[in-house]
Amino acid sequence: MRAVGPGGRDAAFDSEVLGGPLGARIDQAVKRGAARRRELVTLVRPYLASVDTGVKRDLPVARRLICHLIEHRPDAELVDGDTLVKVVTAAAEPSKRIRKGLRWYADLPLRDELSPDLYRLRRSDLAPVTHIDDIVWADGRLRINGFAYLAGLSVRSRRFNRATVVLRGPRWLPPVRMRTRRVLAPEATHGAREPGCNYDWSGFTAELSPWPLRWRGAVRGVVSAVRRRLRHRPAVRDTTTWRAEIVFWSRGARATGLLRGSSMGRSERPAGLKLRPGWWVRPVWTSDRALQVVLQPNRAELAGVSVDGERLELKIFLPGRTVTKGHARLGGHRIAADFTPVTGGTEVLVGLAVPALLQEKDGRRLWVEPKGDPAASVMLADLVETRTAVGDREITVLGDRRDRVVVSAHRIRPVITETAWEGGSLVLRGRYPDTAGPRVLTLRHRSGLSYHVPMERSGETFAVRLAPASMDRFGESVPLAAGTWNLSIRHPSGEIVPLRMDHAALPGLDESPRAFDGRAYRMISTRFDVPVVTVEEERPADEKGVAGTHVLRRVFYPAQRTEPLHEATVYVVNDGRLYADSVRAIYEERLRRGDDREHIWIVKDGAFTPPGPAKVVRAGSREHHAALARSRHIVTNAFLPAWFRAREDQVVVQTWHGTPAKKVGNDLPHMSRDPRPPVWHRQAAEVRGWDLLISQSPWATPLLRKAFGYQGEILESGLPRNDVLTSPDRDELAAAVRERLGLAEGKRVVLYAPTWRDYDRKNAMVKLDLAKAREALGADHELLVRAHPMQAMPAVPDIAHDVTTYPDIADLLLVTDVLVTDYSSVMFDFVATGRPIVFYGYDLAKYSAKRGMYLDLAEQAPGPVLSTSAEVIDALRSIDQVAAAHADRYDAFRATFAPRDDGKATARVVDHLFS
């Protein structure tokens, strides 16, 4: 409040503060208990008393109501009662709207006690939601397709539902009203954030003839020319800009909002229409994703590009203007230019130093500034774009999405000139005039997951063939995960070089989806010329969006819980992302015994296909909700969905994902906060539904019971996932894993498997110096790196194998000769092999202070605890001596923490549950 100061000094400032940071702090304080609420009332009430009444009236309805209560209700009710809590909680839920006459009101607590004016929805509550699906020119008319609605107000039919797209230019020009009609757009409902609302008829199609823009632009041009003449300056053709707004009339509510938000692909790069030589109408997007329409003259056009030694020459033509002086500008750099009057205008010659250009990192727009005239952006017009190779770099002179010239220099990039779908394969062809040699295309997901596909090269051309529905992952065929995949290659220098689309190929680019095995794949160009592959799971309409999820969780799932149970078992690993862990071991043991009862695996995003007769159910689907509601047994290694509630006659088996070395659950510092954080309540509700918890050792049992507040049955069976490490068939299994990983026989395998850092999750750096490890250990060692799933994908060089995405870490432990870890639970699993462990605790003191540890590694670790990469590498070079020196501690550690990992843990669990 000291930073905010007293209220009433500036209405705009008070409105921004109450609607933004201070309002959010008020909501947080209300939830934090009586002490915080008392402090809130004491500090905020004097401020609110001095704030203008109009400012408070125009706040969003929930914030308006809270401010009124703080000002007028007694302290005892606000601090010790639940009045404020009720309002804040209700405001966080999807609010219901009530109409009385032609006015709309919010359905919030205390409505019967307070003035209806407090609950009336005003401009700040009627938030328009808009989205543009397509912008095209058809028969000389601009056509805009999309949807627009007022959040919280359903649009179920055409009745009482109007919308008009209006283009507003300079204040004195009359607005342009586009012919707009409502159309059916169920995708608006699917993508909405408000459950229970129907926006199926919020779609719109708006059309515009260029003529209204032309005559308005002409009038503005005349006015501008007169003004310049009065200042004794020559007239200059000018650009006129209109912002696109949409005006709603929906069931008595009226609101206006900017048209914002485009779909990825073609709508991001709308084409312009040439009206006459030198004049264009262009739909454009602003930096904040708002739509504008501009009437734009080409005051400067690029006429030629040439490279002569170390000089790039750009020839520019200024039509209709005779100028003898001026200069050019590249980005923010002023450049000398030669102006020569010629027939029909002026020719401008601009020279750029090639060595200086090659030092630039970003593309820069080219401008011309004739003396006495405003600066003119140079347009590409009819000139062909150029790419000139200079060694292993190139200088490009290209047009952007508005046809403005951009000059840039960078590493030579592969440019896609053609895309085609051939069966289930996507084929990319293009130009890449870099030095000869093999290249590999990398598809990288925002999560860090990546796949590599070889690039076929022939001279300056290339071709890539990839099957997005069947990508190779360690010898296993899996589809690309849902989301956006960027395309790049790694240059021999190590630089990541992105691919680009040829601008001439953009009009003919086929961006329509292709469906394979319940997934839709699209090859599109986003941000104008950035090629990406997008993937989306195909879902029934009643499962899409927040509305579909709301019905499944609040209606369908409760109804299914009343139905009789099936004798089926549901298996879930990490929300359906993996076929791994103790859950996998239990499933395979039951198959080995011939258990023919129904088996159901939950699979998220097509991550795997389980072997055997199991039924695959997509995570989040209607079948998923039904399976968890009606299956007798549920076996999982982590928390189940928040909407799940175990039935009395269900058996939920929690195998957990290892014995924790670091603190978990209620032992984490934030879990003891008062009031309890939401995650505490989430955990408590989950744990109440567990019927059996698997423990690896007598040491782990009381720890898990305390950390989770679990009072039920615990089975100290050992971890089923570790049975494979002592299996009689482990040598044959290890050989198969080596083959999948591409590891040479006879080489010692070192696995570096650190845990994640709460305070550094986005750090992708591999802390172990792999280059020095490779140099010190030599060619007879294989280096594997596996990051934790909660940590950013690691940046692993080619000298090591990145096995982060390998499904089951137990397979990796099979082939590992030496484990390097820190505070990961993998230490408890690996001791079953009897092979050495080295601990790399570079941040042990910091980690112990921030997260907390159950172990004293210095006293209990079954191997050396080292703090530098150099010490770890030295230990690996003499690992036999290091192992011998720690043999007694290793045996004691195994006896304490893994006494029952003897290869029979799975049998104990299956006997206990299913025999």
Side-chain angles (χ1 to χ4, degrees), residues 648-693:
E648 288 295 328
D649 43 357
Q650 279 183 314
V651 178
V652 178
V653 182
Q654 178 58 259
T655 68
W656 202 240
H657 40 273
T659 296
K662 53 186 175 290
K663 291 190 175 181
V664 296
N666 294 334
D667 294 333
L668 291 171
H670 68 274
M671 295 291 273
S672 58
R673 196 172 60 202
D674 185 28
R676 302 294 188 187
V679 67
W680 186 92
H681 297 282
R682 162 84 173 89
Q683 175 180 287
E686 167 85 18
V687 171
R688 280 196 297 269
W690 294 354
D691 296 286
L692 181 67
L693 177 62

Short mmCIF file of all heavy atoms in Angstrom, two decimals, residues 648-693:
data_model
loop_
_atom_site.label_atom_id
_atom_site.label_comp_id
_atom_site.label_asym_id
_atom_site.label_seq_id
_atom_site.Cartn_x
_atom_site.Cartn_y
_atom_site.Cartn_z
N GLU A 648 -16.12 -47.34 -2.56
CA GLU A 648 -15.88 -48.23 -1.41
C GLU A 648 -15.45 -49.61 -1.87
O GLU A 648 -14.63 -50.27 -1.22
CB GLU A 648 -17.13 -48.32 -0.55
CG GLU A 648 -17.44 -47.06 0.24
CD GLU A 648 -16.37 -46.77 1.29
OE1 GLU A 648 -15.78 -47.73 1.81
OE2 GLU A 648 -16.12 -45.59 1.57
N ASP A 649 -16.01 -50.08 -2.99
CA ASP A 649 -15.72 -51.44 -3.44
C ASP A 649 -14.62 -51.49 -4.48
O ASP A 649 -14.39 -52.52 -5.10
CB ASP A 649 -16.99 -52.11 -3.98
CG ASP A 649 -17.81 -51.18 -4.86
OD1 ASP A 649 -17.41 -50.01 -5.01
OD2 ASP A 649 -18.84 -51.64 -5.39
N GLN A 650 -13.92 -50.38 -4.71
CA GLN A 650 -12.77 -50.38 -5.59
C GLN A 650 -11.49 -50.60 -4.78
O GLN A 650 -11.44 -50.34 -3.58
CB GLN A 650 -12.65 -49.05 -6.35
CG GLN A 650 -13.55 -48.92 -7.57
CD GLN A 650 -13.33 -47.63 -8.31
OE1 GLN A 650 -13.25 -46.56 -7.71
NE2 GLN A 650 -13.25 -47.72 -9.63
N VAL A 651 -10.45 -51.10 -5.46
CA VAL A 651 -9.15 -51.29 -4.84
C VAL A 651 -8.13 -50.46 -5.61
O VAL A 651 -7.86 -50.73 -6.79
CB VAL A 651 -8.72 -52.77 -4.84
CG1 VAL A 651 -7.34 -52.93 -4.23
CG2 VAL A 651 -9.75 -53.62 -4.11
N VAL A 652 -7.60 -49.42 -4.97
CA VAL A 652 -6.61 -48.55 -5.59
C VAL A 652 -5.24 -48.92 -5.04
O VAL A 652 -5.00 -48.83 -3.83
CB VAL A 652 -6.91 -47.07 -5.32
CG1 VAL A 652 -5.84 -46.18 -5.96
CG2 VAL A 652 -8.29 -46.70 -5.87
N VAL A 653 -4.35 -49.35 -5.93
CA VAL A 653 -3.00 -49.75 -5.56
C VAL A 653 -2.03 -48.65 -5.97
O VAL A 653 -1.93 -48.32 -7.16
CB VAL A 653 -2.61 -51.07 -6.24
CG1 VAL A 653 -1.22 -51.52 -5.80
CG2 VAL A 653 -3.65 -52.15 -5.95
N GLN A 654 -1.33 -48.09 -5.01
CA GLN A 654 -0.36 -47.03 -5.27
C GLN A 654 1.05 -47.63 -5.14
O GLN A 654 1.52 -47.93 -4.06
CB GLN A 654 -0.55 -45.89 -4.27
CG GLN A 654 0.44 -44.75 -4.40
CD GLN A 654 0.42 -44.11 -5.78
OE1 GLN A 654 1.30 -44.39 -6.60
NE2 GLN A 654 -0.57 -43.26 -6.02
N THR A 655 1.73 -47.79 -6.30
CA THR A 655 3.09 -48.34 -6.25
C THR A 655 4.13 -47.25 -5.99
O THR A 655 5.26 -47.55 -5.63
CB THR A 655 3.43 -49.03 -7.59
OG1 THR A 655 3.53 -48.04 -8.62
CG2 THR A 655 2.37 -50.06 -7.96
N TRP A 656 3.75 -46.01 -6.15
CA TRP A 656 4.61 -44.85 -6.10
C TRP A 656 5.83 -45.06 -7.03
O TRP A 656 6.07 -46.16 -7.52
CB TRP A 656 5.03 -44.48 -4.69
CG TRP A 656 5.46 -43.03 -4.57
CD1 TRP A 656 6.67 -42.56 -4.18
CD2 TRP A 656 4.65 -41.88 -4.86
NE1 TRP A 656 6.68 -41.17 -4.21
CE2 TRP A 656 5.44 -40.73 -4.64
CE3 TRP A 656 3.34 -41.71 -5.31
CZ2 TRP A 656 4.98 -39.44 -4.83
CZ3 TRP A 656 2.87 -40.43 -5.51
CH2 TRP A 656 3.68 -39.31 -5.27
N HIS A 657 6.57 -43.98 -7.30
CA HIS A 657 7.66 -44.09 -8.27
C HIS A 657 9.02 -44.04 -7.59
O HIS A 657 9.90 -43.26 -7.95
CB HIS A 657 7.55 -42.99 -9.34
CG HIS A 657 7.15 -41.66 -8.80
ND1 HIS A 657 5.83 -41.28 -8.64
CD2 HIS A 657 7.88 -40.60 -8.38
CE1 HIS A 657 5.77 -40.05 -8.16
NE2 HIS A 657 7.00 -39.63 -7.98
N GLY A 658 9.17 -44.88 -6.59
CA GLY A 658 10.48 -45.03 -5.97
C GLY A 658 10.52 -44.54 -4.54
O GLY A 658 9.70 -43.74 -4.09
N THR A 659 11.51 -45.04 -3.80
CA THR A 659 11.75 -44.56 -2.44
C THR A 659 12.35 -43.17 -2.51
O THR A 659 13.36 -42.96 -3.18
CB THR A 659 12.71 -45.51 -1.71
OG1 THR A 659 12.10 -46.79 -1.57
CG2 THR A 659 13.06 -44.97 -0.33
N PRO A 660 11.76 -42.19 -1.84
CA PRO A 660 12.27 -40.82 -1.97
C PRO A 660 13.52 -40.58 -1.14
O PRO A 660 13.57 -40.93 0.05
CB PRO A 660 11.10 -39.97 -1.47
CG PRO A 660 10.35 -40.86 -0.54
CD PRO A 660 10.52 -42.26 -1.05
N ALA A 661 14.51 -39.95 -1.77
CA ALA A 661 15.67 -39.47 -1.04
C ALA A 661 15.45 -38.03 -0.61
O ALA A 661 15.94 -37.60 0.43
CB ALA A 661 16.93 -39.58 -1.89
N LYS A 662 14.73 -37.29 -1.42
CA LYS A 662 14.39 -35.90 -1.12
C LYS A 662 12.99 -35.87 -0.51
O LYS A 662 12.20 -36.78 -0.71
CB LYS A 662 14.44 -35.06 -2.38
CG LYS A 662 13.61 -35.61 -3.52
CD LYS A 662 13.81 -34.82 -4.80
CE LYS A 662 13.08 -35.45 -5.97
NZ LYS A 662 13.68 -36.73 -6.39
N LYS A 663 12.68 -34.82 0.21
CA LYS A 663 11.41 -34.74 0.92
C LYS A 663 10.25 -34.61 -0.07
O LYS A 663 10.36 -33.95 -1.11
CB LYS A 663 11.41 -33.57 1.90
CG LYS A 663 12.35 -33.82 3.08
CD LYS A 663 12.20 -32.80 4.17
CE LYS A 663 13.07 -33.17 5.37
NZ LYS A 663 12.94 -32.19 6.48
N VAL A 664 9.13 -35.26 0.28
CA VAL A 664 7.95 -35.25 -0.56
C VAL A 664 6.72 -35.02 0.31
O VAL A 664 6.77 -35.11 1.54
CB VAL A 664 7.79 -36.59 -1.34
CG1 VAL A 664 8.94 -36.79 -2.31
CG2 VAL A 664 7.68 -37.77 -0.38
N GLY A 665 5.58 -34.75 -0.35
CA GLY A 665 4.31 -34.69 0.34
C GLY A 665 4.27 -33.68 1.46
O GLY A 665 4.72 -32.53 1.34
N ASN A 666 3.75 -34.10 2.62
CA ASN A 666 3.58 -33.21 3.76
C ASN A 666 4.89 -32.73 4.36
O ASN A 666 4.89 -31.79 5.16
CB ASN A 666 2.76 -33.91 4.85
CG ASN A 666 1.35 -34.18 4.41
OD1 ASN A 666 0.80 -33.49 3.56
ND2 ASN A 666 0.74 -35.23 4.98
N ASP A 667 6.00 -33.36 3.98
CA ASP A 667 7.29 -32.97 4.53
C ASP A 667 7.91 -31.78 3.79
O ASP A 667 8.95 -31.27 4.23
CB ASP A 667 8.26 -34.15 4.49
CG ASP A 667 7.83 -35.28 5.41
OD1 ASP A 667 7.14 -34.99 6.40
OD2 ASP A 667 8.17 -36.45 5.14
N LEU A 668 7.31 -31.37 2.68
CA LEU A 668 7.81 -30.20 1.97
C LEU A 668 7.49 -28.93 2.76
O LEU A 668 6.44 -28.85 3.41
CB LEU A 668 7.18 -30.12 0.58
CG LEU A 668 7.63 -31.21 -0.40
CD1 LEU A 668 6.78 -31.18 -1.66
CD2 LEU A 668 9.10 -31.02 -0.76
N PRO A 669 8.36 -27.95 2.71
CA PRO A 669 8.16 -26.75 3.56
C PRO A 669 6.82 -26.06 3.33
O PRO A 669 6.16 -25.65 4.29
CB PRO A 669 9.34 -25.85 3.15
CG PRO A 669 10.39 -26.79 2.64
CD PRO A 669 9.65 -27.91 1.98
N HIS A 670 6.38 -25.92 2.09
CA HIS A 670 5.16 -25.15 1.83
C HIS A 670 3.89 -25.88 2.26
O HIS A 670 2.83 -25.27 2.36
CB HIS A 670 5.07 -24.80 0.34
CG HIS A 670 4.84 -25.98 -0.55
ND1 HIS A 670 5.88 -26.76 -1.03
CD2 HIS A 670 3.69 -26.52 -1.04
CE1 HIS A 670 5.38 -27.72 -1.78
NE2 HIS A 670 4.07 -27.61 -1.80
N MET A 671 3.99 -27.20 2.53
CA MET A 671 2.79 -27.95 2.89
C MET A 671 2.34 -27.69 4.33
O MET A 671 1.22 -28.04 4.70
CB MET A 671 3.05 -29.45 2.70
CG MET A 671 3.27 -29.85 1.25
SD MET A 671 1.79 -29.70 0.25
CE MET A 671 1.05 -31.31 0.53
N SER A 672 3.18 -27.08 5.13
CA SER A 672 2.81 -26.78 6.51
C SER A 672 2.32 -25.35 6.68
O SER A 672 2.11 -24.89 7.80
CB SER A 672 4.01 -27.03 7.44
OG SER A 672 5.12 -26.24 7.05
N ARG A 673 2.15 -24.65 5.57
CA ARG A 673 1.72 -23.26 5.62
C ARG A 673 0.28 -23.18 6.13
O ARG A 673 -0.52 -24.09 5.94
CB ARG A 673 1.81 -22.68 4.20
CG ARG A 673 1.76 -21.18 4.13
CD ARG A 673 2.07 -20.74 2.70
NE ARG A 673 1.09 -21.29 1.76
CZ ARG A 673 1.31 -21.44 0.46
NH1 ARG A 673 2.50 -21.14 -0.03
NH2 ARG A 673 0.36 -21.89 -0.33
N ASP A 674 -0.04 -22.08 6.80
CA ASP A 674 -1.40 -21.88 7.31
C ASP A 674 -1.99 -20.63 6.66
O ASP A 674 -1.41 -19.55 6.76
CB ASP A 674 -1.37 -21.70 8.84
CG ASP A 674 -2.77 -21.60 9.42
OD1 ASP A 674 -3.70 -22.18 8.82
OD2 ASP A 674 -2.94 -20.92 10.46
N PRO A 675 -3.11 -20.76 5.95
CA PRO A 675 -3.89 -21.97 5.72
C PRO A 675 -3.19 -22.92 4.74
O PRO A 675 -2.29 -22.51 4.03
CB PRO A 675 -5.20 -21.44 5.14
CG PRO A 675 -4.80 -20.19 4.44
CD PRO A 675 -3.72 -19.58 5.28
N ARG A 676 -3.65 -24.15 4.73
CA ARG A 676 -3.02 -25.16 3.87
C ARG A 676 -3.15 -24.77 2.40
O ARG A 676 -4.19 -24.27 1.98
CB ARG A 676 -3.68 -26.52 4.08
CG ARG A 676 -3.63 -27.03 5.50
CD ARG A 676 -2.21 -27.33 5.94
NE ARG A 676 -2.19 -28.01 7.23
CZ ARG A 676 -1.08 -28.25 7.92
NH1 ARG A 676 0.09 -27.86 7.45
NH2 ARG A 676 -1.14 -28.88 9.08
N PRO A 677 -2.11 -25.01 1.61
CA PRO A 677 -2.19 -24.69 0.18
C PRO A 677 -3.13 -25.65 -0.53
O PRO A 677 -3.42 -26.75 -0.03
CB PRO A 677 -0.74 -24.86 -0.30
CG PRO A 677 -0.14 -25.84 0.66
CD PRO A 677 -0.79 -25.57 1.99
N PRO A 678 -3.62 -25.31 -1.72
CA PRO A 678 -4.53 -26.20 -2.45
C PRO A 678 -3.95 -27.58 -2.68
O PRO A 678 -4.68 -28.57 -2.68
CB PRO A 678 -4.75 -25.45 -3.77
CG PRO A 678 -4.53 -24.01 -3.44
CD PRO A 678 -3.47 -24.00 -2.40
N VAL A 679 -2.62 -27.68 -2.89
CA VAL A 679 -2.03 -28.99 -3.17
C VAL A 679 -2.13 -29.91 -1.95
O VAL A 679 -2.20 -31.13 -2.08
CB VAL A 679 -0.56 -28.82 -3.61
CG1 VAL A 679 0.31 -28.31 -2.48
CG2 VAL A 679 -0.01 -30.12 -4.16
N TRP A 680 -2.18 -29.33 -0.74
CA TRP A 680 -2.35 -30.15 0.46
C TRP A 680 -3.72 -30.82 0.45
O TRP A 680 -3.84 -32.02 0.73
CB TRP A 680 -2.18 -29.28 1.71
CG TRP A 680 -2.19 -30.05 3.00
CD1 TRP A 680 -1.12 -30.55 3.67
CD2 TRP A 680 -3.36 -30.41 3.77
NE1 TRP A 680 -1.53 -31.20 4.81
CE2 TRP A 680 -2.90 -31.14 4.90
CE3 TRP A 680 -4.71 -30.20 3.61
CZ2 TRP A 680 -3.76 -31.64 5.85
CZ3 TRP A 680 -5.57 -30.71 4.57
CH2 TRP A 680 -5.10 -31.42 5.67
N HIS A 681 -4.74 -30.06 0.14
CA HIS A 681 -6.09 -30.61 0.08
C HIS A 681 -6.21 -31.62 -1.08
O HIS A 681 -6.88 -32.63 -0.95
CB HIS A 681 -7.10 -29.49 -0.09
CG HIS A 681 -7.13 -28.53 1.06
ND1 HIS A 681 -7.76 -28.81 2.25
CD2 HIS A 681 -6.58 -27.29 1.20
CE1 HIS A 681 -7.63 -27.79 3.08
NE2 HIS A 681 -6.90 -26.85 2.47
N ARG A 682 -5.54 -31.32 -2.18
CA ARG A 682 -5.55 -32.25 -3.31
C ARG A 682 -4.94 -33.59 -2.91
O ARG A 682 -5.46 -34.66 -3.21
CB ARG A 682 -4.76 -31.61 -4.46
CG ARG A 682 -4.29 -32.56 -5.55
CD ARG A 682 -5.37 -32.81 -6.56
NE ARG A 682 -4.87 -33.59 -7.68
CZ ARG A 682 -4.86 -34.91 -7.72
NH1 ARG A 682 -5.31 -35.62 -6.69
NH2 ARG A 682 -4.41 -35.55 -8.77
N GLN A 683 -3.81 -33.55 -2.22
CA GLN A 683 -3.14 -34.78 -1.78
C GLN A 683 -3.99 -35.53 -0.77
O GLN A 683 -4.13 -36.77 -0.84
CB GLN A 683 -1.77 -34.45 -1.19
CG GLN A 683 -1.06 -35.67 -0.60
CD GLN A 683 0.28 -35.32 -0.02
OE1 GLN A 683 1.22 -35.07 -0.75
NE2 GLN A 683 0.38 -35.31 1.31
N ALA A 684 -4.57 -34.82 0.18
CA ALA A 684 -5.38 -35.47 1.21
C ALA A 684 -6.56 -36.22 0.59
O ALA A 684 -6.88 -37.35 0.99
CB ALA A 684 -5.87 -34.44 2.23
N ALA A 685 -7.22 -35.59 -0.38
CA ALA A 685 -8.35 -36.26 -1.03
C ALA A 685 -7.89 -37.48 -1.81
O ALA A 685 -8.58 -38.51 -1.84
CB ALA A 685 -9.04 -35.26 -1.96
N GLU A 686 -6.74 -37.39 -2.44
CA GLU A 686 -6.21 -38.52 -3.22
C GLU A 686 -5.86 -39.70 -2.30
O GLU A 686 -6.24 -40.84 -2.54
CB GLU A 686 -4.97 -38.06 -3.98
CG GLU A 686 -4.12 -39.18 -4.58
CD GLU A 686 -4.61 -39.63 -5.94
OE1 GLU A 686 -5.36 -38.88 -6.58
OE2 GLU A 686 -4.24 -40.74 -6.36
N VAL A 687 -5.13 -39.40 -1.23
CA VAL A 687 -4.61 -40.46 -0.35
C VAL A 687 -5.75 -41.20 0.34
O VAL A 687 -5.64 -42.41 0.60
CB VAL A 687 -3.62 -39.85 0.66
CG1 VAL A 687 -3.24 -40.88 1.73
CG2 VAL A 687 -2.38 -39.34 -0.06
N ARG A 688 -6.84 -40.53 0.62
CA ARG A 688 -7.98 -41.20 1.26
C ARG A 688 -8.51 -42.35 0.42
O ARG A 688 -9.13 -43.27 0.95
CB ARG A 688 -9.09 -40.19 1.53
CG ARG A 688 -8.89 -39.33 2.77
CD ARG A 688 -10.18 -38.64 3.19
NE ARG A 688 -10.66 -37.71 2.18
CZ ARG A 688 -10.34 -36.42 2.15
NH1 ARG A 688 -9.53 -35.92 3.08
NH2 ARG A 688 -10.82 -35.63 1.21
N GLY A 689 -8.28 -42.29 -0.89
CA GLY A 689 -8.78 -43.34 -1.76
C GLY A 689 -7.84 -44.51 -1.95
O GLY A 689 -8.21 -45.51 -2.59
N TRP A 690 -6.63 -44.46 -1.41
CA TRP A 690 -5.68 -45.56 -1.58
C TRP A 690 -6.07 -46.74 -0.68
O TRP A 690 -6.43 -46.57 0.48
CB TRP A 690 -4.27 -45.13 -1.22
CG TRP A 690 -3.69 -44.09 -2.14
CD1 TRP A 690 -4.23 -43.60 -3.29
CD2 TRP A 690 -2.45 -43.40 -1.95
NE1 TRP A 690 -3.42 -42.65 -3.84
CE2 TRP A 690 -2.30 -42.51 -3.05
CE3 TRP A 690 -1.45 -43.44 -1.00
CZ2 TRP A 690 -1.20 -41.67 -3.19
CZ3 TRP A 690 -0.34 -42.60 -1.13
CH2 TRP A 690 -0.23 -41.74 -2.22
N ASP A 691 -5.97 -47.94 -1.23
CA ASP A 691 -6.23 -49.15 -0.45
C ASP A 691 -4.95 -49.92 -0.14
O ASP A 691 -4.91 -50.68 0.84
CB ASP A 691 -7.19 -50.06 -1.22
CG ASP A 691 -8.55 -49.43 -1.40
OD1 ASP A 691 -9.29 -49.36 -0.41
OD2 ASP A 691 -8.86 -48.97 -2.51
N LEU A 692 -3.93 -49.77 -0.97
CA LEU A 692 -2.67 -50.47 -0.74
C LEU A 692 -1.53 -49.61 -1.28
O LEU A 692 -1.58 -49.13 -2.41
CB LEU A 692 -2.67 -51.82 -1.46
CG LEU A 692 -1.40 -52.68 -1.27
CD1 LEU A 692 -1.27 -53.13 0.19
CD2 LEU A 692 -1.41 -53.87 -2.21
N LEU A 693 -0.51 -49.43 -0.44
CA LEU A 693 0.68 -48.68 -0.83
C LEU A 693 1.87 -49.64 -0.82
O LEU A 693 2.09 -50.35 0.16
CB LEU A 693 0.91 -47.52 0.13
CG LEU A 693 2.17 -46.67 -0.08
CD1 LEU A 693 2.16 -45.99 -1.44
CD2 LEU A 693 2.29 -45.61 1.03
#
